[in-house]
Amino acid sequence: MSAAMLCHAQQTARQWNSEVTAGWNLGNQFECSVLGQDSESVAIGDPDGADKAETAWGNPVVTKKTIKAVRDAGFNAIRIPVRWQCHITNPSAMTVSKTWMNRIKEVIDWCLDYDLKVIVNVHHEKWLESRPLYVNKEENCQKLALLWMNIASELGKYDYRVAFAGTNEVHIPDNWGKPTAENLDVQNAYNQTFIDIVRATGMNNSKRHLIVQTYVCNADYGLYNGDFIIPTDIEGNGNDYMSVELHYYNPWEYAGSGECYYWGEPYKQYGEASQSDEKTMIEFFDKVANEWSSKGLGVVIGEWGITTDDKNSEVDRMRENMPYYCKTLVSEARKRGFSTFVWDNNRLGNGADMFGIFDRNNNMSIKADWVIKGIKEGVAESSK
């Protein structure tokens, strides 16, 4: 069997993740709401302008050159967040617009042309994500099953490079804190519904890599007290073809808001450093591996990132520190077999939530080269 055929063959989730040297998120693109629509709306439908939603948040249309630029920068996997709720032509059957489905398939095809692994999810489905409550549980599970039946049936013939992720950051709006037992129960129901319906569609979906989530994709809400229940897969699969997804913007005051300028033991001497450091990260990753990898599950860090928040007088040292953080995260994750997908929202500038790496409006030129540098160093370090 040729190497090309091998890379398309059926793999366990852990094998799939181990082959992701570096993953990238096509953020703020296909998970957009329609231009002029409230992005927090729970409405399901196919409003005017829906077919052009991918540019609604200011990013240009994705092209094959977009995907090639990501591959050429050293990434070998892409996560494609997708909002489906504003592309539903028949809400009672959760039927997806053919135009939207064909567009998503076109981008998947481009990724596969460059031999990139792919994750497709349901992202910013506000009817689902923002209502993890018993009063909505039955209806939401029914709709989620119909939606994934339609997605999985359309994508079921793709080879095993393509993985599916069932939900995203399920949470009560504006409440990112500790969930209730009710919230956790509904998230677990979403995960089981996703596994059941995708497997039922057959084709390559019977053993496709499927990714389930902890509440709000925060592993802290899944590692303890049985908060996260491993879904039951079909007979013969065990846990071999499932991964647990978490998002890791830790510590937020360094990675997300930029309130702390430095991270890590070598940089504490410069002040304004987070108390969270390498030891914190390593201990956390060990907990994740002990809880889930030990049970045969894969682990996907579906989002992580570092905002650009430069202090002019110390910019050189900060640009040295940021690759150090990236290197540490990627190397420690890969040593444990986790796949990592860096968040890129194409927000370029200085301050909180500036996770842009490539400038999509300028031929995909690399703006945050320090992130790329750190990722490559992390891949090299993990391979020693």
Side-chain angles (χ1 to χ4, degrees):
M1 185 180 291
S2 70
M5 290 176 67
L6 283 170
C7 74
H8 302 172
Q10 175 189 323
Q11 295 180 304
T12 66
R14 295 183 69 179
Q15 290 169 333
W16 193 100
N17 290 321
S18 69
E19 289 187 2
V20 176
T21 52
W24 178 81
N25 270 280
L26 185 56
N28 283 24
Q29 200 80 52
F30 291 107
E31 79 274 29
C32 300
S33 52
V34 175
L35 187 64
Q37 184 184 51
D38 177 6
S39 63
E40 297 300 313
S41 171
V42 300
I44 296 172
D46 189 34
D48 291 343
D51 293 342
K52 297 181 179 179
E54 70 175 280
T55 61
W57 291 355
N59 288 327
V61 170
V62 177
T63 68
K64 193 170 185 177
K65 290 182 179 179
T66 308
I67 306 304
K68 181 178 185 298
V70 175
R71 192 281 309 267
D72 290 349
F75 294 94
N76 73 338
I78 290 182
R79 178 174 179 259
I80 307 175
V82 184
R83 186 189 306 236
W84 306 88
Q85 72 174 64
C86 49
H87 306 278
I88 302 297
T89 55
N90 180 355
S92 64
M94 296 299 286
T95 308
V96 179
S97 154
K98 292 187 184 305
T99 302
W100 189 247
M101 181 63 77
N102 288 338
R103 176 62 176 144
I104 300 304
K105 290 166 75 171
E106 181 177 43
V107 176
I108 294 172
D109 290 342
W110 291 336
C111 293
L112 298 183
D113 285 346
Y114 291 114
D115 200 21
L116 301 173
K117 291 184 185 295
V118 180
I119 295 174
V120 176
N121 79 349
V122 298
H123 199 105
H124 293 331
E125 298 295 305
K126 296 300 180 178
W127 58 271
L128 178 82
E129 290 181 9
S130 67
R131 300 189 293 183
L133 303 168
Y134 287 140
V135 69
N136 304 111
K137 178 182 175 182
E138 182 177 356
E139 178 186 2
N140 279 358
C141 285
Q142 289 174 350
K143 288 180 177 178
L144 183 65
L146 289 168
L147 177 59
W148 267 113
M149 181 183 70
N150 293 325
I151 298 169
S153 296
E154 283 284 344
L155 306 184
K157 292 183 180 179
Y158 279 115
D159 63 52
Y160 295 104
R161 289 173 292 177
V162 179
F164 301 157
T167 65
N168 185 49
E169 295 176 347
V170 172
H171 68 286
I172 298 295
D174 300 320
N175 183 356
W176 299 85
K178 184 176 176 57
T180 66
E182 178 181 14
N183 301 151
L184 294 167
D185 184 61
V186 173
Q187 175 67 66
N188 287 322
Y190 289 167
N191 288 335
Q192 188 65 63
T193 297
F194 163 66
I195 295 293
D196 289 346
I197 196 65
V198 173
R199 295 301 188 218
T201 60
M203 298 176 282
N204 287 339
N205 297 332
S206 298
K207 293 186 183 297
R208 187 177 303 284
H209 178 197
L210 300 184
I211 304 166
V212 293
Q213 293 70 35
T214 61
Y215 185 83
V216 81
C217 287
N218 184 334
D220 283 336
Y221 304 145
L223 287 171
Y224 311 104
N225 304 318
D227 290 346
F228 171 82
I229 297 174
I230 299 172
T232 301
D233 208 334
I234 59 175
E235 186 176 356
N237 278 4
N239 293 338
D240 287 346
Y241 304 101
M242 288 190 294
S243 284
V244 181
E245 179 181 0
L246 59 110
H247 295 172
Y248 193 85
Y249 295 98
N250 298 0
W252 181 256
E253 67 269 16
Y254 173 76
S257 67
E259 296 168 58
C260 290
Y261 287 115
Y262 295 108
W263 178 89
E265 194 63 37
Y267 294 88
K268 289 182 178 179
Q269 61 183 304
Y270 302 115
E272 298 182 278
S274 172
Q275 293 303 303
S276 175
D277 56 16
E278 301 93 331
K279 183 174 182 289
T280 312
M281 180 184 288
I282 288 169
E283 289 179 349
F284 178 76
F285 284 178
D286 280 343
K287 286 180 181 177
V288 169
N290 291 337
E291 179 65 24
W292 293 318
S293 302
S294 65
K295 295 179 173 68
L297 294 159
V299 175
V300 175
I301 301 181
E303 294 181 20
W304 70 275
I306 181 168
T307 192
T308 301
D309 189 20
D310 294 329
K311 186 177 180 180
N312 290 336
S313 61
E314 301 182 49
V315 64
D316 290 342
R317 188 182 295 132
M318 293 176 71
R319 294 287 175 86
E320 177 187 287
N321 184 213
M322 288 189 283
Y324 177 72
Y325 173 86
C326 298
K327 171 187 175 181
T328 306
L329 187 152
V330 170
S331 63
E332 293 297 337
R334 293 202 74 236
K335 287 174 185 176
R336 291 160 179 79
F338 307 167
S339 62
T340 63
F341 290 77
V342 68
W343 184 252
D344 185 343
N345 56 8
N346 199 33
R347 291 195 67 198
L348 306 168
N350 194 44
D353 201 35
M354 296 295 176
F355 291 108
I357 300 171
F358 297 91
D359 186 348
R360 294 181 213 169
N361 295 295
N362 187 24
N363 297 316
M364 289 292 286
S365 58
I366 296 173
K367 294 300 183 182
D369 58 345
W370 48 90
V371 174
I372 302 291
K373 178 177 184 290
I375 290 173
K376 289 182 175 179
E377 289 176 351
V379 173
E381 177 70 21
S382 65
S383 301
K384 291 181 179 177

